């Protein structure tokens, strides 16, 4: 594998390792990284000290996050988890090829890390298995587990959200990929009940799916009336109104670092 020699804000596809049982970077991965790039100024001002990816796959996203924040910043630490041992191996190779370091942990979501990382994660990124599938495919061995989301694609998402709530710091931010079929407005309302505000950073349509990259952060001004007075439809409409029109259609990733 080539070595990483040039300065880049995101991982280069040619340096991303691969395995036939590991999900390769695709439209959803590119959309998530593009959302991080779109929010880069805020991320730099946020000054995170501990960042985490749940379900690191090829390592494209966690590597890109580290590059977006700047490799020269030695005060940021990175953790990535995956249930697939091949993904952990591939992520290590991708990180090494870009001169980036992270602690990689083989586990289901964040099992075993609940006490160690409680209230410590400043930035969390998640591209969960969100595709609606039969429930018996959820957690299956091999690459199927990277996309199988069960009924409405929500089985893993609904497990990840309370984990994120537990691990995020008071200033913690969560960036998550969702599909229209996942009912993102209901996800946002569910998180609002836990005290989180939300914003769609990027909405992207492809030939096969419509993706929403949602950012969540703790909103200490949230009240019960704020939650009960808003329908899911109205809530989604208000979220969509926040998106710059330029983000509404992207057929492919514009990253020229391939």
């Amino acid at each position: 594998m080539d070595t990483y020699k040039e300065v880049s804000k995101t991982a280069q596809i040619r340096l991303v390792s691969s395995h036939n049982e590991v999900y390769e970077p695709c439209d959803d991965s590119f959309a998530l990284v593009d959302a991080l790039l779109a929010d880069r100024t805020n991320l730099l001002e946020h000054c995170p000290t501990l960042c985490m990816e749940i379900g690191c796959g090829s390592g494209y996203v966690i590597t890109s996050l580290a590059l977006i924040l700047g490799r020269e910043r030695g005060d940021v630490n990175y953790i990535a988890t995956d249930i697939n041992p091949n993904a952990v191996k591939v992520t290590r190779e991708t990180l090494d090829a870009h001169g980036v370091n992270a602690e990689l942990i083989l586990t289901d979501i964040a099992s075993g890390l609940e006490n160690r990382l409680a209230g410590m994660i400043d930035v969390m990124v998640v591209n969960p298995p969100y595709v609606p599938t039969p429930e018996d495919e959820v957690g299956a061995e091999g690459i199927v587990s990277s996309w199988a989301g069960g009924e409405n694609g929500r089985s893993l998402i609904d497990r990840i959200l309370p984990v994120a709530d537990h691990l995020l710091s008071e200033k913690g931010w969560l960036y998550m990929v969702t599909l229209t079929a996942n009912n993102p407005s209901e996800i946002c309302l569910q998180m609002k009940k836990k005290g989180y505000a939300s914003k769609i950073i990027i909405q992207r349509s492809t030939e096969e799916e419509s993706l929403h990259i949602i950012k969540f952060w703790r909103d200490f001004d949230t009240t019960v009336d704020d939650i009960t007075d808003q329908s899911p439809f109205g809530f989604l409409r208000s979220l969509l109104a926040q998106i710059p029109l330029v983000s509404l259609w992207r057929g492919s990733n514009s990253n020229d670092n391939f």
Side-chain angles (χ1 to χ4, degrees):
M1 182 175 289
D2 296 333
T3 58
Y4 184 87
K5 296 180 180 179
E6 58 198 282
V7 176
S8 174
K9 289 189 178 71
T10 64
Q12 295 189 45
I13 294 300
R14 65 184 179 86
L15 297 181
V16 174
S17 188
S18 63
H19 186 282
N20 60 5
E21 291 295 334
V22 175
Y23 187 73
E24 296 184 354
C26 198
D27 291 326
D28 48 3
S29 317
F30 301 144
L32 178 52
V33 168
D34 282 352
L36 297 173
L37 280 170
D39 212 31
R40 182 171 184 262
T41 299
N42 292 325
L43 280 166
L44 293 174
E45 293 176 351
H46 191 54
C47 297
T49 58
L50 186 57
C51 302
M52 180 178 190
E53 180 175 17
I54 291 177
C56 53
S58 68
Y60 173 75
V61 174
I62 190 68
T63 300
S64 294
L65 175 60
L67 295 174
I68 287 168
L69 289 173
R71 288 180 300 163
E72 68 278 1
R73 288 191 57 188
D75 57 340
V76 186
N77 294 295
Y78 301 91
I79 295 176
T81 68
D82 206 293
I83 197 172
N84 182 347
N86 294 311
V88 172
K89 177 177 181 293
V90 166
T91 293
R92 172 56 62 200
E93 293 169 351
T94 298
L95 289 164
D96 290 346
H98 290 83
V100 174
N101 186 48
E103 180 181 356
L104 303 182
I105 300 172
L106 180 65
T107 188
D108 180 18
I109 303 180
S111 180
L113 302 173
E114 297 90 348
N115 293 332
R116 173 189 167 193
L117 300 179
M120 295 185 62
I121 305 299
D122 295 325
V123 174
M124 180 180 290
V125 290
V126 187
N127 183 7
Y130 57 70
V131 177
T133 63
E135 285 293 332
D136 59 7
E137 292 185 10
V138 176
E141 292 186 3
I143 196 169
V144 174
S145 65
S146 66
W147 66 68
E151 184 178 359
N152 299 321
R154 288 282 296 273
S155 292
L156 268 295
I157 290 175
D158 288 342
R159 287 182 57 205
I160 290 170
L161 293 177
V163 173
D165 178 41
H166 179 70
L167 298 186
L168 287 172
S169 67
E170 286 194 358
K171 72 171 191 175
W173 294 351
L174 166 65
Y175 296 84
M176 176 176 280
V177 180
T178 66
L179 189 67
T180 299
N182 304 148
N183 195 350
S185 58
E186 198 280 330
I187 292 173
C188 291
L189 283 173
Q190 180 179 332
M191 289 297 282
K192 193 167 187 178
K193 292 177 181 178
K194 296 178 180 293
Y196 289 84
S198 56
K199 176 181 181 180
I200 296 177
I201 303 295
I202 282 180
Q203 181 190 10
R204 183 162 300 169
S205 297
T206 69
E207 294 180 357
E208 299 179 350
E209 56 192 10
S210 180
L211 300 168
H212 302 81
I213 313 303
I214 307 175
K215 175 183 178 181
F216 299 94
W217 66 96
R218 296 188 189 277
D219 181 5
F220 297 101
D221 295 325
T222 297
T223 66
V224 174
D225 289 340
D226 291 335
I227 298 170
T228 56
D229 287 349
Q230 204 163 19
S231 68
F233 177 77
F235 192 67
L236 180 59
R237 184 168 56 188
S238 67
L239 289 173
L240 290 174
Q242 304 168 359
I243 311 172
L245 292 177
V246 70
S247 299
L248 291 177
W249 169 255
R250 290 284 296 278
S252 62
N253 182 43
S254 65
N255 187 336
D256 56 7
N257 295 320
F258 287 10

